[in-house]
Every structure is written in C-alpha cells, then in structure tokens.
Amino acid sequence: MSDIPTRLQPIFEQIDKNTEANIAKLATAISFKAVSGDESLRPELFKKADYIQSLLEKLNCTDIQQFDLGEEKPGLSLPPVILARLGTSPTKKTVVVYAHMDVQPASKEDGWDTEPFELFHDKENGLLIGRGSTDDTGPLLAWLNMLEAHQQLGLELPVNLIFCFESMEESGSIGLDKFIEDEAKTSGYFFKYASKIDSVAISDNYWLGTTTPALTYGLRGCNYYQIKVDGPKADLHSGVFGGCIAEPMIDLVQLLSTLVNSKGEILIPGVNEMVAPVTDAEREIYKSITYSVEEFNESSNSNTCLFDNKEDILMHRWRMPSLSVHGIENAFSGQGAKTVIPATCSGKFSIRTVPHIDSDKLDALVIDHVNKQFAKLNSPNKMVCELVHNGAYWYSDPHNSSFTAASKATELVWGQKPDLTREGGSIPITLTFEQQLKSSVVLIPCGKGNDGAHSINEKIDLENYVKGAKLLGSFLYYFSETD
Amino acid sequence: MSDIPTRLQPIFEQIDKNTEANIAKLATAISFKAVSGDESLRPELFKKADYIQSLLEKLNCTDIQQFDLGEEKPGLSLPPVILARLGTSPTKKTVVVYAHMDVQPASKEDGWDTEPFELFHDKENGLLIGRGSTDDTGPLLAWLNMLEAHQQLGLELPVNLIFCFESMEESGSIGLDKFIEDEAKTSGYFFKYASKIDSVAISDNYWLGTTTPALTYGLRGCNYYQIKVDGPKADLHSGVFGGCIAEPMIDLVQLLSTLVNSKGEILIPGVNEMVAPVTDAEREIYKSITYSVEEFNESSNSNTCLFDNKEDILMHRWRMPSLSVHGIENAFSGQGAKTVIPATCSGKFSIRTVPHIDSDKLDALVIDHVNKQFAKLNSPNKMVCELVHNGAYWYSDPHNSSFTAASKATELVWGQKPDLTREGGSIPITLTFEQQLKSSVVLIPCGKGNDGAHSINEKIDLENYVKGAKLLGSFLYYFSETD
C-alpha cells in the first residue's frame, strides 16, 4: 500500500497542471441555468446534461445513456438521468459515483455580488464563485478532472466506475428512487458487468467547518406531517362570526403548541424514548471534532443557538431528533391586516429522525398525540393529522472499507485526519443506493462548511476544487487495495 | 302625525309603478365592474360614479361634486367621493345619506350561477341577483327611486338631504375619514347651508335573518395586532439547523396559544373585565329577537357554532369581545412539504371590541401579556407585539329620534316592529360621521340576512328593493316630525 502515493504523484501533478483548464470547464458547466425548481428553465437542464455527456464521451466512458424519467406533470418532461461506465474488468471492484447536475435558484437580485451563472474567480481569496460551484457541479467535475488526468497520462483506473448523474436533486429527486430500483434488477444497468457494487461514493455535502476535512457516516431522516383543521365551508368575516364560531386556526395553534417547546424539546410522549442512548465512546468522538458555538452562529448569521457548547450543538444536529414547525397553509399569509376567519388551515411540521426511531411507530405516536390533544379541545371542527412523506435516517459504520479508504485519501491529500461527521439533513438517495445496490455508501465531501450551497454567493475554494480531484482519485486507489 | 300614511300613499303607489324601470336602473348600475380591490378595474369606478352623478342630476340635486381623494399609491388614483344636495331650506332638518358605489370582487368562476355583473331577475323566487344588488348599489338606488317618485308627483321632501357616496368601502374606505373631517369644518360642504346635521342614515348592512326587518344600533370595534418573532437572518434548512436553533415559528405558536382557547374565551388578563355587564333588560331584548342556532349554522354553512342557543350566539356576536387568529406572514404557506425554518414570522390576530373596552388600555393589556409570555419562553429570538390598526366600537341609543322614526317607518312598510340589532363587524365610517358631524347615526338596512353580500350569487329580494325605497322615504317623513 505504501507505493500508492508514488502511483498518485504524477496524477496529482497532472491535475495541478490542468487547473486553468478545469476552472474553464467549471465556468462552462455552471453557465447553464439548470434550476430544477423553475419550470421555465427546464430546457437548460437538458442542455447541461448534453454538455456533461460530451465530457464523459471525451473520457472514453462507455454505455453512456440519458434515461427519460417521464413527466413531472402533464406537459413538463423530467430532465434525464445520465448513466455511464468506465471499465468493465471482472477483477476490479466497482464503484458507483453519484452527483447531480441541477442547482438551486439564483439571481443577482437575491443579493449576489456577481452574476450567479457566470463563474467569478476571486483570485485574492482563492474562490470560484457561482451557482453550482460547490453544489454539486464542482464536485461532479472533480471526478471528471481526476479521470482526465489519468487519460492524459495513459493510466488505467484501479476500479470500474459507474456514473449516476441526476438533474432533480434540488427538487426532491423526482423519479430517481424508482429508476434506481428498476436498474438495480438483474436485467438492469448496474449489474450488467458486475455481480456486485462494492461502494457508492457521493460528494454532495460539506465539511463541518472550514479547516478540517470530513467524512460523513450518518444522515437524519425526516417524517413530514400535516394537521388539517376544517371548520365552516368558506372563509368567514371575523366581525360577523368571531366569538360564535369554532375557529380552525385557534384549534390549530393550540395543537401545534403541544408538539415542541421553545427549547426545542419534543413534547410528544414516547418519541425521545426511542433515541439511541449516547455512549461514552460517542462523546469522545464529538469532543475531537473541530467546531464551536461561534461557527454555528456564523452559519445561522445570528445568536439564536439553543446551546452553549459544540457537543450539544452537534449532537442535536446529528444524532438527536428535532421538530420544526414550517408554516400554515390556507390561513391568511399576506401582508397587511385581513380580518378573515380561515375556513380551513393546515399546519406543517416535520420530525428529523435518528437511530433507533422506528418510522411507523413515530407516525403512530404523533397522530395519537395530536388526536388526544384535539379531543381535549372539545371542538366541533374536524381534524386530521397525517404523514405527508417520510425518508429514513441513514447510519453507516465509519470504519468499513469505504470509509477507511476515504480516510487515508483525506490524510494524503489534506495532511490531516477527517472529522467523522453526520448531517442533520437528509439525502434520501443515500439509503436507496445502500438498499437497492446492496452496497456501502460513503459521503466524501469536497467543499467547506461556508460554501453557501443554497445561499447567495455560492463558492468552492479553488484549493478544494483541485484537491477534490486528488481526493476522489486517491480514494479509488486506496479502496482498490482493500479486501 | 297620523296623516303621514296619507301623504305617503301616492308615493308608495308611484314607487310600485316604477318597479320595472327601477329594476332596469339597477341592471345598469351593477353592470359596472366597480371592484375597488382590483386595480385593473379602477376605471370602472370612475364610470360608475359618472352614472350615479347623472341620476343625481336628473333628480335636480344641486352642488353635485366629485371629490378627488388623491392617489392610493403612485400612479393609481383613488376613485371619487360624490357629494350632492337636495334642498337647502333653513326650516327643515338635514339628513346625510351615506352609501357606497364600489363592490366586492366577483367572477363566474367563483361559483356564481349567473354572470355577476349582469342583473338576473329570478322571477320565480322574486330575486334580483348580481354583484352590488344588496351591497350597496341596490340600497343606494332605493334612495334615488324614492326621490324620483317625489319628483314625478311634484312633491317636496320633508327634509334637506346631503348625499355622500364613496367608492372605496370594500377596500377600507381609504381617504374618506380625512375627507369627512375636512368637509365637516366650517368652510366645508356639510355645514354650508345648515348649522347642524340632524341625522346620518346608512343602509349598508342587513337584517339579522330573513323574516324580520331590523334597525342596527351598535357595531363592534376592531383592534388588529401583530406578533413578530425574528430569529436567524435568513430562512434555514430544518435538517441542518433543526434542534439547535431557536425557531421563531415555535415561539410564535406558543405565544398565539396563550391568547384564546378553543371555546373562544379570551385568555389575556383584564380584557373580559372591561366588558359592560349584561343587564336583565338587555337579556329581554335578546329573547325577543327572531333568530336560531339553525339560522347561524346556515349562515356559516357548518355545524361549528360554539353555543346552543340564540341569546349566547347573538351576545357573542354583538356585545362580547372576540379574538380571532387570522394567519401568519412569512412562514411557509404554500402547498406541499417544504422543510424550511422561517427566519421570521408574524402572527396576525384581532380583538373585536365592545363597550366599555378602552382601546388604549386593551393595547397595553395585550402587549404586556404577550411580552410576559415571551419572557417565560426564555428564547434568544426577538419579539415585538404591536397594534396594526384599530377602529372603535359604535353604540347608539336605539330610542333616539332617528331610531324612533326609522322604527315607525319599518312598521308602516313591513307591518312589523324591527329587531333592534347590533353587528359583530365594524363600519368605521359610522363613528366618523357621528363624531365629525356631531349627529346621531341610524343604520337602516334594506336587505335580508341571506343576501350573500360578500359571497357568490349576491341578491336582493325584489320586495326589499321596492319596499326599501318606501322605507327610506317614510323614515324621512317620520323624522321630519320629531322634535
């Protein structure tokens, strides 16, 4: 294994040599306004997919296909998923690489300092600024940049790769779950040349902070609920009916107030009891992570943190459940002062789930609690509490072969051990890959915690873009050597 | 006084003779899409004002003026207020007649059975259906129909009239308060020929039900409040921040839940204590009113009433305060399942006020209560509770000369004593007239409780339209005879 750095040395040098060209490639890739959430921009997603396909073709990928996922709604086609292959050697391991081509909405009016779809190279600070630079076009290109270096040097990869690039990640990955499931079948794409997938690598998250690289071994799940209260058949005037009619909004506010308190503590009986106890060993992991209350406050741009130490913050972000109240549909939500009694209203809230919360049991606890609380109100209105959607949490062994290889790669490229992190949010496709491809999954982020993935002035540090290619390449070498 | 019916007899007959012509006039008047809430229809309000002015001219009114109230916002002119006069005799009493020319929005798509701006005469049921038929174009024309009968018969009115017709009533009567205040000054319109105004008559409300005419002697006021909770600088992702950040929506829901319970009881200390006690005499008034729980349920189109008897319903509509929660601004309010933590949110609620709630004291109680509740939450977020606007309640002596005359007119025309009603809603201009013109005000409704003023298929019964003209004419005769 000690000769790996020797084998990687020329590749690293080639990646460095290609820096200007790779920046230009990123500039082209982010120039597509590939906003999956904006129907009017749908053609841009197709154009960007064609551009990415052209890069895959230049890299001599095979079996490149754009898959049609059907329509998002009548008259609106879903953008394609690209699958492509590099290598079909039966003696090599096979790694699936997932990334997404679509981006969050962005416009200069939102407060960007530069045009979001024109890459700005801030040379003074070493930043590549533009929508998609870090989420997820930059990391996607880091994979391709690594491959190009191999091609230029006439080197073969130590593993087989299968690329899976989608275009709807920022809009719920519509259609992808079913697609992966179908293609994971014996007649499908993934197992055409290999009897098993050895690892799935995803670079679609970020370091915790800005100084220490990270590998991510857990994601919270999300069960999203709605409490709908129905009263009169139509909205009423509060002057005429106020005081005489049972107001759905009053019932709803009472119900929502029983779910969680201002300290963020979930008040629904039985939920906290399902959470895996914190072990002493786990506490030690959290102590070693580079993080601070100040970093948290910087990321929220406020001083409204519920905790005063990094351990509590990280545990409540990663391994404790949380309940957020998102809003209310059908009540008055405009500006000004409308004196309406909404006839119906739906409160939306979600619970982030962690080991060992059983999703079905959680649903039962939530719905039972809300039903009991509503019964207490003795209201003549009708109330239904229901699950809107759920996505399970994901939790991996951070010491399996994928993580061990990724950890070595990180040490080689960044000169320090990665933080072993979890994420508070969900990447539902992670679990789909794990389950459908029966493979371990490793989240191996390229960008820093302050990249502003869904915010204005999204950036990736040039260093992270360049070292990202080296990191992903190194990961494949170390992974190829594992048992 | 006993000769009044004799004097009115030919007028009543003339009004009956004019029925077809008066229906045609209503058809023309409601054909203008005079929706004050729809900027794109603003020209229609000007056209309708011109049409109403032409009718006033035909009736030989004098001093007819369309007053420019300025702009609603840059580039959008407010529609005019029309003032006009009929008679300047120093020996006669002077009555101000208020009505409004604008209407609520309406389109066939909302569920109307007929085109809302084309009068449909449902002869089978004796209904005149169309937007504005009862609110307030029909009653406005009832005044003019009554005058036309006088004109045709060569009869003089027993009082001087001043008309005040506005065009923004359905949009908060923007500009009218200030206008009335200015015109009430010595150099203004109202007191040009008279040292005092003896009564102000408004026909802009409805009978309580469908069988008994009404006179209205009280209106609730409305103090509208907002609770704004500010947390992080921008919306956050609940996956990343949920459980670690103090969520403004969670604080807001907790605060709103302390204001009122599901029985409609106001929980803010000190508010209920300000309400005038119910007297035994008052209870008797309520007993005599024709009303039922069934009628209430029919009007709300549901079975979500908080009370099981008419007295409680009417008292809580008319003479008890109520607190309604209208909605929340800036939280997620769309369809679907967005996992946002809103950075800021504003809860909107209002309290309907009644004698003897002191408006300033109420504000102090509300704000103090919310501040104390927020302090209990110990939240790092920022919270401000503030008054958005207020309108005072109005309460008149239902046995003064205006009401006595209106009551006699009702008995004459409808053959039964009117219910003495109050309204749960506000007509802020009522109080403005009372205060600025130092006159009593009488609310003398023409239409029935099921007219659907702000709903689809708005109608006025033909009988009410015809008898409305007789009622208003009779009122003037009886009023001219009072001391």
Side-chain angles (χ1 to χ4, degrees):
Chain A
M1 210 160 74
S2 59
D3 66 332
I4 286 182
T6 315
R7 287 162 65 192
L8 288 168
Q9 195 54 39
I11 297 166
F12 285 16
E13 283 170 14
Q14 188 64 38
I15 288 170
D16 283 331
K17 271 188 209 158
N18 293 345
T19 296
E20 283 309 314
N22 288 340
I23 292 173
K25 214 182 297 167
L26 182 59
T28 304
I30 73 148
S31 70
F32 300 97
K33 293 180 177 165
V35 180
S36 53
D38 185 339
E39 293 180 17
S40 70
L41 295 172
R42 191 54 53 92
E44 294 281 312
L45 281 84
F46 287 85
K47 285 186 204 162
K48 187 166 180 177
D50 288 341
Y51 173 67
I52 299 295
Q53 174 166 349
S54 75
L55 297 179
L56 292 168
E57 285 164 356
K58 281 186 203 153
L59 294 167
N60 297 327
C61 287
T62 61
D63 298 278
I64 304 172
Q65 288 186 52
Q66 288 194 19
F67 289 85
D68 178 0
L69 299 188
E71 289 190 321
E72 184 175 352
K73 60 181 189 184
L76 184 67
S77 295
L78 283 166
V81 170
I82 300 179
L83 294 187
R85 199 183 300 282
L86 194 61
T88 58
S89 164
T91 62
K92 289 178 182 172
K93 289 181 173 161
T94 298
V95 174
V96 168
V97 170
Y98 164 87
H100 65 88
M101 301 177 279
D102 60 317
V103 298
Q104 282 278 312
S107 74
K108 193 102 193 306
E109 291 69 43
D110 296 339
W112 284 70
D113 295 327
T114 59
E115 286 296 336
F117 294 99
E118 293 176 16
L119 190 74
F120 178 69
H121 184 181
D122 174 354
K123 291 182 183 170
E124 195 180 338
N125 299 299
L127 305 178
L128 300 172
I129 300 168
R131 177 55 92 217
S133 55
T134 197
D135 180 18
D136 185 32
T137 308
L140 185 158
L141 291 183
W143 284 104
L144 307 192
N145 296 343
M146 178 270 291
L147 295 185
E148 193 185 23
H150 281 76
Q151 188 181 38
Q152 289 164 330
L153 297 168
L155 296 173
E156 244 191 50
L157 278 184
V159 299
N160 304 316
L161 286 185
I162 297 175
F163 294 102
C164 174
F165 295 157
E166 72 152 324
S167 295
M168 286 296 284
E169 198 275 341
E170 303 294 0
S171 299
S173 294
I174 302 170
L176 189 61
D177 262 357
K178 178 74 171 46
F179 172 74
I180 300 290
E181 191 183 329
D182 289 347
E183 292 299 322
K185 287 178 183 155
T186 43
S187 60
Y189 190 100
F190 289 103
F191 297 106
K192 191 171 174 188
Y193 298 101
S195 61
K196 70 185 183 86
I197 303 294
D198 298 283
S199 186
V200 178
I202 301 179
S203 296
D204 189 23
N205 70 314
Y206 310 93
W207 300 0
L208 181 57
T210 57
T211 55
T212 310
L215 296 176
T216 303
Y217 65 99
L219 298 166
R220 293 198 290 188
C222 182
N223 284 26
Y224 202 106
Y225 302 95
Q226 170 172 287
I227 299 174
K228 188 165 192 290
V229 184
D230 285 314
K233 286 286 178 300
D235 287 357
L236 299 176
H237 189 289
S238 68
V240 181
F241 288 91
C244 303
I245 201 101
E247 301 190 19
M249 264 298 277
I250 290 175
D251 291 347
L252 180 60
V253 161
Q254 292 297 336
L255 295 177
L256 292 174
S257 76
T258 69
L259 301 175
V260 60
N261 67 19
S262 286
K263 288 176 187 151
E265 294 162 348
I266 297 175
L267 305 175
I268 301 164
V271 174
N272 297 317
E273 287 79 350
M274 288 193 284
V275 178
V278 182
T279 62
D280 289 344
E282 205 181 347
R283 276 190 211 287
E284 289 306 311
I285 293 181
Y286 283 87
K287 277 187 192 160
S288 72
I289 291 171
T290 317
Y291 198 63
S292 68
V293 179
E294 289 66 35
E295 273 186 89
F296 180 85
N297 285 342
E298 200 181 307
S299 65
S300 81
N301 208 351
S302 72
N303 291 305
T304 61
C305 186
L306 292 168
F307 304 102
D308 62 3
N309 63 83
K310 73 171 181 185
E311 287 86 353
D312 271 334
I313 296 174
L314 293 177
M315 285 200 187
H316 282 86
R317 176 184 281 196
W318 293 348
R319 62 102 58 230
M320 301 298 265
S322 63
L323 192 157
S324 295
V325 180
H326 306 296
I328 295 173
E329 186 179 346
N330 284 325
F332 172 51
S333 62
Q335 295 186 334
K338 192 174 174 183
T339 55
V340 67
I341 296 175
T344 180
C345 50
S346 298
K348 317 275 183 89
F349 67 98
S350 67
I351 296 177
R352 296 283 162 177
T353 59
V354 295
H356 308 292
I357 292 180
D358 178 89
S359 178
D360 292 340
K361 190 174 167 196
L362 179 66
D363 298 346
L365 288 172
V366 168
I367 291 166
D368 181 59
H369 168 79
V370 175
N371 285 342
K372 277 185 185 152
Q373 294 295 324
F374 184 69
K376 274 193 206 168
L377 299 182
N378 207 12
S379 167
N381 290 321
K382 301 222 180 321
M383 190 284 299
V384 175
C385 175
E386 60 191 0
L387 178 76
V388 177
H389 68 61
N390 61 3
Y393 58 80
W394 169 74
Y395 180 78
S396 173
D397 169 13
H399 303 295
N400 67 20
S401 56
S402 295
F403 276 91
T404 303
S407 186
K408 284 180 188 162
T410 306
E411 280 199 69
L412 176 69
V413 172
W414 286 101
Q416 53 181 321
K417 275 189 193 296
D419 281 338
L420 287 177
T421 67
R422 293 163 71 166
E423 289 267 356
S426 313
I427 311 179
I429 205 63
T430 308
L431 203 66
T432 306
F433 278 125
E434 185 176 281
Q435 294 174 339
Q436 295 297 331
L437 304 186
K438 294 174 182 57
S439 163
S440 69
V441 180
V442 57
L443 302 192
I444 179 169
C446 290
K448 290 181 177 170
N450 67 346
D451 280 359
H454 286 201
S455 186
I456 57 170
N457 299 324
E458 177 184 342
K459 59 89 178 166
I460 191 168
D461 289 63
L462 176 57
E463 183 183 19
N464 289 58
Y465 183 53
V466 174
K467 286 193 172 166
K470 297 176 184 175
L471 175 73
L472 299 171
S474 306
F475 161 65
L476 298 184
Y477 276 85
Y478 285 116
F479 185 64
S480 71
E481 302 266 321
T482 58
D483 298 331
Chain B
M1 211 159 71
S2 59
D3 66 335
I4 287 182
T6 315
R7 288 163 63 194
L8 287 168
Q9 195 55 37
I11 297 167
F12 284 15
E13 284 168 14
Q14 187 65 38
I15 288 171
D16 284 330
K17 273 188 209 161
N18 293 345
T19 297
E20 284 309 313
N22 289 340
I23 293 172
K25 214 183 296 168
L26 182 59
T28 304
I30 72 147
S31 70
F32 300 96
K33 294 180 177 165
V35 180
S36 53
D38 184 339
E39 293 181 15
S40 72
L41 294 173
R42 191 56 51 94
E44 294 281 312
L45 281 86
F46 286 86
K47 284 185 205 163
K48 185 164 181 178
D50 288 342
Y51 172 68
I52 299 296
Q53 173 166 350
S54 75
L55 298 179
L56 292 167
E57 285 165 356
K58 280 185 203 152
L59 294 166
N60 296 328
C61 287
T62 62
D63 298 279
I64 305 172
Q65 289 185 52
Q66 288 194 19
F67 289 84
D68 178 358
L69 299 188
E71 290 189 323
E72 185 175 351
K73 61 182 188 182
L76 183 69
S77 294
L78 282 166
V81 169
I82 300 180
L83 294 187
R85 199 183 299 282
L86 194 62
T88 56
S89 164
T91 62
K92 289 180 183 171
K93 288 182 174 161
T94 299
V95 175
V96 168
V97 171
Y98 163 88
H100 65 89
M101 301 177 278
D102 61 317
V103 297
Q104 282 278 313
S107 74
K108 194 99 191 307
E109 291 69 42
D110 298 338
W112 283 70
D113 294 327
T114 59
E115 285 296 336
F117 295 99
E118 293 176 17
L119 190 74
F120 177 70
H121 183 181
D122 174 353
K123 290 182 184 171
E124 193 181 339
N125 299 298
L127 306 178
L128 302 171
I129 299 168
R131 178 56 90 216
S133 56
T134 197
D135 180 18
D136 186 34
T137 308
L140 185 157
L141 291 184
W143 285 103
L144 306 193
N145 296 344
M146 178 270 292
L147 295 185
E148 192 185 24
H150 280 77
Q151 189 182 37
Q152 289 164 329
L153 297 166
L155 296 173
E156 244 190 48
L157 277 184
V159 299
N160 304 316
L161 287 185
I162 297 175
F163 294 102
C164 175
F165 295 157
E166 71 152 324
S167 295
M168 286 297 283
E169 198 274 342
E170 302 294 0
S171 300
S173 292
I174 302 170
L176 188 62
D177 262 357
K178 176 76 168 49
F179 172 75
I180 301 288
E181 191 184 328
D182 289 347
E183 291 301 321
K185 287 177 182 154
T186 43
S187 58
Y189 190 101
F190 290 103
F191 297 106
K192 191 170 173 190
Y193 297 101
S195 61
K196 72 185 182 84
I197 303 293
D198 297 284
S199 187
V200 177
I202 301 179
S203 297
D204 189 24
N205 68 315
Y206 310 93
W207 300 0
L208 181 57
T210 58
T211 56
T212 311
L215 297 174
T216 304
Y217 65 98
L219 299 166
R220 293 197 291 188
C222 182
N223 285 25
Y224 202 105
Y225 301 95
Q226 168 172 289
I227 300 175
K228 189 167 193 289
V229 184
D230 285 315
K233 287 284 179 300
D235 287 357
L236 298 177
H237 190 290
S238 68
V240 182
F241 288 92
C244 303
I245 203 98
E247 300 190 19
M249 264 298 276
I250 290 176
D251 291 347
L252 180 59
V253 161
Q254 292 297 336
L255 295 176
L256 292 174
S257 76
T258 70
L259 301 175
V260 61
N261 66 20
S262 285
K263 290 176 187 152
E265 294 162 351
I266 296 175
L267 306 176
I268 302 165
V271 174
N272 297 316
E273 288 78 350
M274 288 192 286
V275 178
V278 182
T279 62
D280 289 342
E282 204 180 349
R283 278 190 209 285
E284 291 305 312
I285 293 181
Y286 283 87
K287 277 185 194 163
S288 71
I289 292 172
T290 318
Y291 198 62
S292 69
V293 178
E294 290 67 37
E295 272 186 272
F296 180 86
N297 286 342
E298 199 180 310
S299 65
S300 80
N301 208 351
S302 72
N303 291 305
T304 61
C305 186
L306 292 168
F307 305 103
D308 62 3
N309 63 84
K310 73 171 182 186
E311 288 84 353
D312 270 333
I313 295 174
L314 293 176
M315 284 199 188
H316 281 86
R317 176 184 280 194
W318 293 347
R319 60 102 60 229
M320 300 298 264
S322 64
L323 191 155
S324 295
V325 179
H326 307 295
I328 295 174
E329 186 179 346
N330 284 325
F332 172 51
S333 62
Q335 294 186 333
K338 191 174 176 184
T339 55
V340 67
I341 297 175
T344 179
C345 50
S346 299
K348 317 276 183 88
F349 67 98
S350 67
I351 297 177
R352 295 284 162 176
T353 59
V354 295
H356 309 293
I357 291 179
D358 179 272
S359 178
D360 292 340
K361 191 173 166 199
L362 179 66
D363 298 346
L365 287 172
V366 169
I367 292 166
D368 182 57
H369 169 78
V370 175
N371 285 342
K372 276 184 185 152
Q373 294 296 324
F374 184 69
K376 275 193 205 170
L377 299 182
N378 207 12
S379 166
N381 291 321
K382 302 222 180 319
M383 190 283 300
V384 175
C385 175
E386 61 192 0
L387 179 77
V388 177
H389 68 61
N390 60 3
Y393 59 81
W394 169 74
Y395 180 79
S396 173
D397 169 13
H399 304 293
N400 68 20
S401 56
S402 295
F403 276 91
T404 303
S407 186
K408 284 180 188 163
T410 306
E411 280 199 70
L412 177 68
V413 172
W414 286 99
Q416 53 181 320
K417 274 189 195 297
D419 281 338
L420 287 177
T421 68
R422 292 163 73 165
E423 289 267 358
S426 312
I427 310 179
I429 205 63
T430 307
L431 202 68
T432 305
F433 278 125
E434 184 176 282
Q435 293 174 341
Q436 295 298 332
L437 303 185
K438 293 174 184 58
S439 164
S440 69
V441 179
V442 57
L443 302 193
I444 180 169
C446 290
K448 290 180 177 170
N450 67 346
D451 280 359
H454 286 201
S455 188
I456 57 171
N457 300 323
E458 178 184 342
K459 60 88 179 168
I460 190 167
D461 289 63
L462 175 58
E463 182 183 20
N464 288 59
Y465 182 53
V466 174
K467 285 193 172 166
K470 298 175 183 174
L471 174 73
L472 299 171
S474 306
F475 161 66
L476 297 183
Y477 278 85
Y478 285 117
F479 186 64
S480 71
E481 301 267 321
T482 59
D483 296 331

